[in-house]
């Protein structure tokens, strides 16, 4: 089994016009492999935002009505056929200021690195969970506010340059995530206000 600690690539690069196509192709393939138990499959994260600098890794989100344990059992074999390895991560960061138990923020995460197709992360979250909603809201807010993209992209580039030494630097990746999380928390609150004003609804993908 590969060393999962060395499978992350935190280097932030300029946006690629190929990311959208790669995300669409992977959404279609994962949807086909997982079947109806995957109630939604969406391209999320920075590679799903036009013009956003990002780690060159496609993030997908899979929603399910199954329990996470049942979904993990059902999805592990078809995802392994696509080159995905289950990671030890079991929960998302709970945004600062939210008086919530961590359990609703549970998830499963698979990684794919060194594949002939796109490197990818696959986040499995339950339908109705706050983390599933936030991933789509964060993406859609940036898509609706392209003027905010350059500032956030610059922040990520500068942060990566200061805390990440190479693509296998687990400590640097942890620092990158820990520092970035509070900034994401601020943006999430701004996005929530936008959602309330505009009537934003959870999209299918």
């Amino acid at each position: 089994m590969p060393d999962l600690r060395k499978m992350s690539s935190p280097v932030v690069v300029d946006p690629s016009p190929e990311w959208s196509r790669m995300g669409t192709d992977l959404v279609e393939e994962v949807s086909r492999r997982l079947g109806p138990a995957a109630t939604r499959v969406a391209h999320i994260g920075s590679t799903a935002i036009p013009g956003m600098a990002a780690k060159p890794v496609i993030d997908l989100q899979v929603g399910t009505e199954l329990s996470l344990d049942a979904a993990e059992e059902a999805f592990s074999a078809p995802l392994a056929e696509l080159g995905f390895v289950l990671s030890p991560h079991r929960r998302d960061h709970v945004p600062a200021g939210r008086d919530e138990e961590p359990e609703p923020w549970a998830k499963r995460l698979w990684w794919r690195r060194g594949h002939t197709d796109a490197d990818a992360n696959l986040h499995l979250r339950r339908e109705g969970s706050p983390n599933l909603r936030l991933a789509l809201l964060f993406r859609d807010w940036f898509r609706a506010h392209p003027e905010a993209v350059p500032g956030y992209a610059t922040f990520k580039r500068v942060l990566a340059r200061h805390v990440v030494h190479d693509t296998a630097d687990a400590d640097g990746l942890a620092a990158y995530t820990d520092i970035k999380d509070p900034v994401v928390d601020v943006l999430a609150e701004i996005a929530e206000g936008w959602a309330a004003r505009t009537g934003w609804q959870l999209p299918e993908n």
Side-chain angles (χ1 to χ4, degrees):
M1 178 179 291
D3 184 347
L4 296 179
R5 294 171 301 175
K6 297 183 178 180
M7 293 181 68
S8 297
S9 178
V11 177
V12 175
V13 301
D14 289 339
S16 168
E18 290 296 300
W19 287 344
S20 178
R21 178 194 59 78
M22 293 162 70
T24 297
D25 290 348
L26 194 53
V27 164
E28 292 176 355
E29 179 66 7
V30 168
S31 298
R32 185 177 68 82
R33 294 293 187 106
L34 298 187
T39 50
R40 76 177 74 232
V41 183
H43 182 194
I44 61 167
S46 291
T47 60
I49 299 167
M52 181 67 78
K55 293 173 286 185
V57 179
I58 303 298
D59 281 283
L60 292 193
Q61 175 169 260
V62 174
T64 186
E65 299 282 1
L66 300 174
S67 72
L68 290 178
D69 287 341
E72 177 185 332
E73 182 175 356
F75 296 162
S76 284
L79 289 177
E81 292 174 357
L82 293 175
F84 284 94
V85 177
L86 184 64
S87 87
H89 295 288
R90 291 291 185 271
R91 189 165 285 115
D92 282 314
H93 163 74
V94 178
R98 297 202 183 191
D99 185 20
E100 300 177 20
E101 294 296 323
E103 186 54 35
W105 296 80
K107 73 171 182 181
R108 298 295 184 270
L109 174 65
W110 282 262
W111 288 326
R112 185 171 80 175
R113 299 292 185 273
H115 197 265
T116 53
D117 296 322
D119 285 354
N121 300 321
L122 188 145
H123 308 259
L124 174 66
R125 298 172 174 126
R126 295 205 70 227
E127 290 290 348
S129 65
N131 46 358
L132 180 143
R133 178 182 180 278
L134 182 57
L136 294 168
L137 173 59
F138 188 80
R139 179 200 68 184
D140 287 359
W141 182 84
F142 266 113
R143 287 178 172 179
H145 296 85
E147 69 277 8
V149 169
Y152 186 59
T154 299
F155 162 71
K156 294 199 300 176
R157 286 191 186 99
V158 172
L159 177 59
R161 187 164 66 244
H162 282 280
V163 303
V164 178
H165 299 101
D166 58 55
T167 57
D169 180 7
D171 290 337
L173 175 61
Y176 177 85
T177 301
D178 288 345
I179 296 169
K180 185 164 68 74
D181 277 344
V183 176
V184 173
D185 294 348
V186 172
L187 293 172
E189 288 305 309
I190 295 171
E192 290 288 1
W194 170 76
R197 291 192 304 274
T198 62
W200 176 84
Q201 298 292 319
L202 198 66
E204 286 301 312
N205 53 43

